[in-house]
Amino acid sequence: MKVETMVTAIVVSLILFGGLTFIVTLAIKKERNKNNGSTRND
Amino acid sequence: MKNEFFSSRFALVVSTLGIAVGTGNIWRFPRIVAQNDGGTFLIPWIVFLFLWSLPLLMAEFAIGKFTRLSPVLAIPKLAGKKFMWMGGFIAFVSTAIMFYYSVVTGWCVNYFFSAVSGNLLSVNDHFKYWATFSNSLLPVLFQIGVMVLGSIIIYRGLVKGIESTSKILVSSLIIIIVILLVRAVTLPNAIKGIEYFFTPNLDKIFDYKIWLSALTQNAWDTGAGWGLIMTYAIYLRKKDDIALNASLIGFGNNSISLIAGIIIFSTTFALSDANPMESLKYSGPANTGMTLIVLPHLFSKLSESFFVNSFFAAMFFLALSMAAFTSLMSMIELTSRSLIDLGLERNKSIIFTAVLGIVFGIPSALSTNFLINQDWVWGIGLILSGAFISFSVIKFGAEKFRVNLILPDSDFQIGKIYNVTIKYLIPVQALALLVWWLYSSVSWDNEWLNPFHSENVGTCLFQWGIIIFMLILLNKFLIRRSKI
């Protein structure tokens, strides 16, 4: 496999799947914080 | 449904992801990658996710949440009453797309049933099979079926209709895509397809056509600039954020496109007798070539077992049908919500939308030439829609928009770079696309101004002109009627 093929595959996958994983993790964390916050307020 | 809100972030994400993930990801994306030098295309495609899709997705989320109105009234609320025709144009473009998109959804559903019954893989000539199907009345029946079903779901409301359907369909779609991915990459020679998919041709990296195709694909398959996300954002809870949810949709949508590309390229390189690139680039009638003609043939060669082959073909067309259907639902919601905002009662507006969709979808169901024309005219019209959304943010004040509409309740910070993107980069991209399209259309068609050609500049200018002229004439009347 050519070097540029591997670089493109890694970079594109890292940006998309890595970005998605980061966003999903952040969303879960923020959601948990919001729910804990609202429970305390209740 | 006016007082309904999404019940959770998960419900919001799957519903809005259902808008973005459609035939553009599974049907259009692999063909466009093949036609634009494989891996070379992926680089600008990623760039435009950041320069076009994400800023517009954020704008749509923010406008919908702030105004609690569909585009037809949300745009004048931001930009001023005299620009109501722009909101009307955005709503009209998505409605016009709904007319023929319901036909395409019907095709996918028909191919799913055909694969389940075993008919699809028992025929030898798939071109003839498509021709027989498209010349029959079946496309009309399926189009009516999906419009009625979609309208019933919208009628059931946000939580019982849109949310519950999206949860089932989008979750199932992701599971099916993962199953298809595992099967595709484990086929012999699949690696050759994956290699082609990711290999850039560095000599062509600055080819402007590839960059413009990448921009068009982003405009098409993320749903940014359609007004659909704006309509669903009406139902965001106050605490729901803008930036993170919009990013989730952009990244999630493009990840699904990437997986769909790997599936199609692996399968084609593994199973194609002839040159796999020719199969991948084959547009065919109404762009059905790769998806409805080549793929069924490839599925029939997947293994020795007819049952296994039919199973995977059915899975593929089920995924395609579900992706198309959830997008269609949002188009029905946009049209009916626009009518509600213009003063029509909710039940009447949904029934009216269903009837409108069925009646104006019939010409596309009966004639693929008509469908091609409508796809051409309103597909390109989406670039104008995106530009109008950007214009309304500029008119409102980009910095004011970022600080007051995006940042409050947002889960991460969006810097001032957003202002530059929405004020300069989006209009420049829209203008570049339109100029390129005008230039290339003039070069390939001597009668480029003839309004009765199916795919040229003339037919777009003619149809856009009629709609914009009528909307400008009706501007004052619509403002009085809507009481904004």
Side-chain angles (χ1 to χ4, degrees), chain B residues 453-472:
Chain B
H453 279 204
S454 73
E455 291 174 279
N456 71 349
V457 175
T459 189
C460 286
L461 296 181
F462 179 62
Q463 295 184 56
W464 294 349
I466 290 175
I467 297 304
I468 290 175
F469 178 70
M470 282 172 62
L471 287 168
I472 290 174

Side-chain angles (χ1 to χ4, degrees), chain A residues 21-35:
Chain A
T21 310
F22 170 75
I23 293 164
V24 169
T25 313
L26 190 62
I28 293 169
K29 199 176 142 191
K30 293 281 180 184
E31 202 60 25
R32 202 172 287 157
N33 287 347
K34 277 181 193 173
N35 289 341

Side-chain angles (χ1 to χ4, degrees), chain B residues 375-389:
Chain B
D375 187 24
W376 171 257
V377 172
W378 304 115
I380 298 169
L382 284 173
I383 300 165
L384 283 186
S385 294
F388 289 163
I389 291 174

Side-chain angles (χ1 to χ4, degrees), chain B residues 5 83 148 163 182 198 239 292 331-332 352 360 367 377:
Chain B
F5 296 100
F83 297 107
V148 169
E163 259 192 43
V182 172
F198 283 111
K239 68 170 184 174
L292 301 187
M331 294 173 201
I332 298 172
F352 187 69
F360 286 96
S367 159
V377 172

Side-chain angles (χ1 to χ4, degrees), chain B residues 355-405:
Chain B
V355 173
L356 206 68
I358 289 168
V359 171
F360 286 96
I362 286 174
S364 293
L366 291 175
S367 159
T368 45
N369 284 336
F370 188 80
L371 187 144
I372 291 166
N373 171 262
Q374 291 301 289
D375 187 24
W376 171 257
V377 172
W378 304 115
I380 298 169
L382 284 173
I383 300 165
L384 283 186
S385 294
F388 289 163
I389 291 174
S390 163
F391 172 82
S392 67
V393 175
I394 295 167
K395 203 80 177 56
F396 183 77
E399 177 63 4
K400 194 168 115 187
F401 186 84
R402 185 182 72 89
V403 172
N404 297 330
L405 272 63

Side-chain angles (χ1 to χ4, degrees), chain B residues 246-483:
Chain B
S247 306
L248 206 67
I249 304 312
F251 278 88
N253 174 74
N254 281 28
S255 297
I256 290 177
S257 287
L258 196 74
I259 295 172
I262 295 171
I263 294 171
I264 302 285
F265 272 71
S266 305
T267 311
T268 312
F269 272 76
L271 303 175
S272 193
D273 315 311
N275 181 355
M277 286 315 298
E278 291 306 313
S279 302
L280 282 163
K281 289 177 185 174
Y282 176 47
S283 294
N287 291 327
T288 54
M290 178 62 208
T291 312
L292 301 187
I293 296 167
V294 177
L295 272 180
H297 174 64
L298 296 183
F299 277 122
S300 66
K301 299 197 310 174
L302 199 60
S303 73
E304 294 296 313
S305 163
F306 182 81
F307 173 77
V308 170
N309 299 349
S310 294
F311 171 78
F312 280 104
M315 286 279 106
F316 175 79
F317 285 108
L318 180 61
L320 196 58
S321 303
M322 291 192 295
F325 187 73
T326 47
S327 302
L328 178 67
M329 273 164 41
S330 66
M331 294 173 201
I332 298 172
E333 169 66 17
L334 184 146
T335 308
S336 55
R337 181 72 206 205
S338 301
L339 294 171
I340 293 168
D341 284 350
L342 290 173
L344 206 64
E345 194 209 328
R346 183 171 175 272
N347 293 352
K348 283 182 187 165
S349 82
I350 295 171
I351 294 167
F352 187 69
T353 303
V355 173
L356 206 68
I358 289 168
V359 171
F360 286 96
I362 286 174
S364 293
L366 291 175
S367 159
T368 45
N369 284 336
F370 188 80
L371 187 144
I372 291 166
N373 171 262
Q374 291 301 289
D375 187 24
W376 171 257
V377 172
W378 304 115
I380 298 169
L382 284 173
I383 300 165
L384 283 186
S385 294
F388 289 163
I389 291 174
S390 163
F391 172 82
S392 67
V393 175
I394 295 167
K395 203 80 177 56
F396 183 77
E399 177 63 4
K400 194 168 115 187
F401 186 84
R402 185 182 72 89
V403 172
N404 297 330
L405 272 63
I406 294 182
L407 290 185
D409 302 310
S410 257
D411 286 337
F412 68 75
Q413 294 295 303
I414 298 294
K416 286 192 175 180
I417 186 75
Y418 183 82
N419 302 352
V420 178
T421 315
I422 205 89
K423 267 168 86 174
Y424 304 109
L425 296 182
I426 300 273
V428 165
Q429 290 170 84
L431 198 67
L433 257 186
L434 289 171
V435 169
W436 168 72
W437 161 76
L438 187 71
Y439 166 78
S440 51
S441 303
V442 170
S443 62
W444 82 58
D445 188 351
N446 290 332
E447 289 186 65
W448 60 275
L449 258 181
N450 185 339
F452 301 107
H453 279 204
S454 73
E455 291 174 279
N456 71 349
V457 175
T459 189
C460 286
L461 296 181
F462 179 62
Q463 295 184 56
W464 294 349
I466 290 175
I467 297 304
I468 290 175
F469 178 70
M470 282 172 62
L471 287 168
I472 290 174
L473 275 185
L474 288 169
N475 207 66
K476 279 185 183 167
F477 168 76
L478 290 173
I479 288 169
R480 271 204 306 274
R481 187 168 170 83
S482 59
K483 296 170 191 161

